[in-house]
């Protein structure tokens, strides 16, 4: 009987434990994690992006920390303890670093031609860094090779560089082409001979064509042209605009914000005004300073021949890779070729140290096409990122993505 009583007590205790356990699972208090901090950041971030866009300030804020700060300082957010940054993606960087395997004289020229220019009202700076082909710095955006040079000893180094999203351009005249250059650029030397003609810009068949972006850039990017001397008494600056076989003297009048081209008769234009010189279409995009202007080339444009003795053929026969060519639509002799959107070759247009502004713009169009578009950034705190799509079209229709990073000091 005593054993039976002990069993009953144990069963009762077990039943009570089970009952309380059941009550806990059935009636336990519910807790919710509302993540209000993240929701608050999302609301604030979206309001910032929409306000920037609707006031026409998104583009400047995306590329300038100063512009973003000026905007925030005019809002109630200046009283808030939050961290903000905007990172643009998928478009031309504000600073492009070029690893140049070229002579010091060539690098000096490139720096003079392309050091700084204005595009869609923002300044683009291009820096040239002398390098060798065995050790190409990863922080650069583009490798520029002044050839011809055999790339057989540097093939893997260049392929590794390309694998990181970088670009490669070679400026060279070829009589023979090594196997590595053939593989990288997709070109070889042909046997057919052809008389030199004007150089034509190939019309891309679609936005997916390799030659789409250099074509687009050539007809929209303003090229900076620097004056060569100043009249001390008048304060006016003078220089020469060179294209095809023409050299047109121009005068910058800083007081009137006007540029006069000394043709017969002279042509006087103001900013954003289209004009013609010798049958070709141009626009005065900007008067950059008292001594500098920016001109845009407009459709349609042909160069005088600068192919030299190059007799280049495409290994794969894909003419959508051709940017510039001589000959005819039925028989094209390449003068500038891409191989995907990250690799390009162009004939040495400055072989006689007489490069013209149209030729300089052709190379700039390739630089902007193949240079890296991804921006590296440091994120010192835990941030909530909000993507947004922006559009700008002052000089050229430009679609870009921005990521707004926002965080409270506590992370």
């Amino acid at each position: 009987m005593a054993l039976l009583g002990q069993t009953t007590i144990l069963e009762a205790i077990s039943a009570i434990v089970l009952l309380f356990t059941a009550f806990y699972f059935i009636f336990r208090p519910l807790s919710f994690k509302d993540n209000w901090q993240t929701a608050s950041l999302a609301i604030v971030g979206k309001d910032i992006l929409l306000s920037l866009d609707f006031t026409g300030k998104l583009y400047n804020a995306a590329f300038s920390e100063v512009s973003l700060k000026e905007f925030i300082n005019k809002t109630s957010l200046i009283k808030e303890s939050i961290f903000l940054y905007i990172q643009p993606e998928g478009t031309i960087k504000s600073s492009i670093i070029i690893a140049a395997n070229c002579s010091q004289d060539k690098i000096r020229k490139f720096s003079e031609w392309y050091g700084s220019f204005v595009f869609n009202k923002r300044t683009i700076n291009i820096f040239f860094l002398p390098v060798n082909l065995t050790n190409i710095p990863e922080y650069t955006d583009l490798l520029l090779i002044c050839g011809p040079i055999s790339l057989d000893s540097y093939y893997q180094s260049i392929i590794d560089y390309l694998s990181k999203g970088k670009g490669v351009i070679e400026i060279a005249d070829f009589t023979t082409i090594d196997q590595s250059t053939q593989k990288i650029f997709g070109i070889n030397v042909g046997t057919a001979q052809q008389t030199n003609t004007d150089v034509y810009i190939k019309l891309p068949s679609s936005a997916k064509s390799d030659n789409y972006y250099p074509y687009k850039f050539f007809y929209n990017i303003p090229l900076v042209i620097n004056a060569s001397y100043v009249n001390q008494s008048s304060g006016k600056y003078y220089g020469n605009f060179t294209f095809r076989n023409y050299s047109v003297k121009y005068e910058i009048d800083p007081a009137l914000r006007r540029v006069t081209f000394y043709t017969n008769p002279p042509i006087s234009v103001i900013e954003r005004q289209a004009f013609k010189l010798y049958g070709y279409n141009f626009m005065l995009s900007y008067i950059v300073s008292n001594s500098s202007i920016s001109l845009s080339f407009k459709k349609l444009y042909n160069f005088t021949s600068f192919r030299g003795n190059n007799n280049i053929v495409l290994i794969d026969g894909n003419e959508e890779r051709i940017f510039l060519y001589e000959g005819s639509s039925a028989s094209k002799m390449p003068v500038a070729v891409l191989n995907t959107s990250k690799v390009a070759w162009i004939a040495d247009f400055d072989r006689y140290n007489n490069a013209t502004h149209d030729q300089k713009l052709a190379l700039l169009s390739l630089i902007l096409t193949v240079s890296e578009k991804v921006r590296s950034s440091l994120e010192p705190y835990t941030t909530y990122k909000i993507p947004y799509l922006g559009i700008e079209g002052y000089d050229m229709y430009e679609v870009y993505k921005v990521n707004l990073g926002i965080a409270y000091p506590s992370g």
Side-chain angles (χ1 to χ4, degrees):
M1 292 294 292
L3 183 59
L4 182 59
Q6 290 175 0
T7 301
T8 302
I9 293 171
L10 291 173
E11 289 176 348
I13 292 172
S14 299
I16 293 170
V17 170
L18 291 172
L19 186 61
F20 276 109
T21 302
F23 275 129
Y24 171 78
F25 282 108
I26 296 172
F27 299 107
R28 63 176 174 175
L30 299 178
S31 62
F32 298 93
K33 295 182 179 180
D34 56 18
N35 209 1
W36 168 246
Q37 189 178 69
T38 299
S40 175
L41 288 173
I43 292 170
V44 172
K46 288 177 181 178
D47 285 346
I48 292 172
L49 288 169
L50 288 170
S51 298
L52 284 167
D53 198 4
F54 292 163
T55 56
K57 297 177 180 178
L58 177 63
Y59 189 74
N60 288 339
F63 295 94
S64 169
E65 292 182 7
V66 174
S67 297
L68 177 61
K69 186 176 181 180
E70 288 176 352
F71 175 82
I72 296 299
N73 287 345
K74 295 177 182 178
T75 70
S76 60
L77 289 173
I78 192 173
K79 301 176 183 178
E80 300 288 335
S81 296
I82 56 174
F83 297 108
L84 282 173
Y85 73 87
I86 292 183
Q87 181 180 3
E89 291 181 8
T91 191
I92 301 168
K93 289 184 175 181
S94 296
S95 294
I96 300 172
I97 303 176
I98 297 179
N101 184 247
C102 303
S103 68
Q104 287 294 335
D105 182 59
K106 287 284 189 183
I107 292 174
R108 178 188 56 79
K109 280 187 178 183
F110 295 147
S111 298
E112 291 175 357
W113 297 349
Y114 308 125
S116 178
F117 66 95
V118 180
F119 156 67
N120 277 349
K121 296 185 180 180
R122 67 180 173 103
T123 300
I124 311 294
N125 295 297
I126 301 181
F127 304 95
F128 292 87
L129 177 72
V131 301
N132 59 60
L133 296 178
T134 56
N135 187 21
I136 310 168
E138 288 190 18
Y139 58 82
T140 57
D141 304 298
L142 166 69
L143 172 63
L144 180 61
I145 303 170
C146 295
I149 180 174
S150 173
L151 300 181
D152 284 340
S153 300
Y154 313 107
Y155 178 77
Q156 195 56 51
S157 176
I158 294 173
I159 293 300
D160 290 344
Y161 186 74
L162 286 168
S163 70
K164 297 178 176 68
K166 317 294 184 175
V168 176
I169 295 175
E170 182 166 6
I171 307 169
D173 292 333
F174 291 116
T175 54
T176 61
I177 298 181
D178 58 276
Q179 289 189 352
S180 295
T181 300
Q182 292 178 31
K183 291 178 183 178
I184 293 170
F185 295 93
I187 58 176
N188 204 349
V189 174
T191 56
Q193 298 297 319
Q194 187 167 301
T195 305
N196 290 95
T197 68
D198 270 4
V199 174
Y200 304 97
I201 304 173
K202 187 178 181 304
L203 180 69
S205 63
S206 75
K208 295 181 180 180
S209 300
D210 287 347
N211 63 352
Y212 172 77
Y213 279 104
Y215 176 92
K216 180 179 179 180
F217 290 147
F218 184 86
Y219 283 124
N220 291 282
I221 293 293
L223 180 71
V224 172
I225 303 173
N226 297 310
S228 53
Y229 67 97
V230 59
N231 184 315
Q232 296 294 343
S233 60
S234 68
K236 297 178 181 178
Y237 287 79
Y238 298 86
N240 290 282
F241 171 41
T242 58
F243 65 100
R244 292 185 60 85
N245 292 323
Y246 303 111
S247 180
V248 181
K249 181 181 177 180
Y250 66 87
E251 171 194 276
I252 306 173
D253 189 330
L256 296 179
R257 302 289 294 171
R258 182 178 292 273
V259 176
T260 300
F261 294 91
Y262 285 100
T263 54
N264 188 17
I267 298 172
S268 188
V269 293
I270 59 174
E271 279 189 334
R272 313 310 292 176
Q273 184 176 342
F275 62 99
K276 281 192 174 187
L277 293 175
Y278 300 105
Y280 289 94
N281 300 307
F282 304 96
M283 175 187 283
L284 178 60
S285 300
Y286 302 94
I287 298 178
V288 181
S289 67
N290 290 348
S291 60
S292 299
I293 60 175
S294 285
L295 296 183
S296 300
F297 287 64
K298 299 303 177 183
K299 302 174 184 177
L300 290 169
Y301 186 80
N302 302 331
F303 306 75
T304 53
S305 174
F306 64 90
R307 176 168 62 91
N309 294 322
N310 286 287
N311 187 18
I312 299 299
V313 295
L314 306 177
I315 291 176
D316 61 0
N318 178 15
E319 292 190 350
E320 291 301 305
R321 295 168 45 209
I322 297 176
F323 170 39
L324 305 176
Y325 69 95
E326 289 189 10
S328 65
S329 58
S331 179
K332 299 180 180 68
M333 187 68 68
V335 178
V337 173
L338 293 98
N339 192 18
T340 74
S341 60
K342 303 306 294 182
V343 175
W345 162 81
I346 185 170
D348 188 359
F349 55 86
D350 194 38
R351 61 179 68 88
Y352 303 120
N353 297 309
N354 60 349
T356 51
H357 287 112
D358 51 354
Q359 296 165 352
K360 296 173 186 178
L361 180 58
L363 176 57
L364 178 60
S365 300
L366 290 174
I367 288 172
L368 299 180
T369 296
V370 308
S371 59
E372 186 183 29
K373 305 298 187 295
V374 177
R375 292 160 175 79
S376 58
S377 62
L378 298 176
E379 299 174 11
Y381 11 77
T382 304
T383 58
Y384 183 78
K385 294 182 182 179
I386 305 167
Y388 196 84
L389 199 64
I391 300 172
E392 179 57 46
Y394 189 75
D395 290 312
M396 183 188 78
Y397 190 70
E398 182 184 14
V399 180
Y400 60 99
K401 177 186 176 183
V402 295
N403 286 310
L404 174 70
I406 182 169
Y408 290 117
S410 60

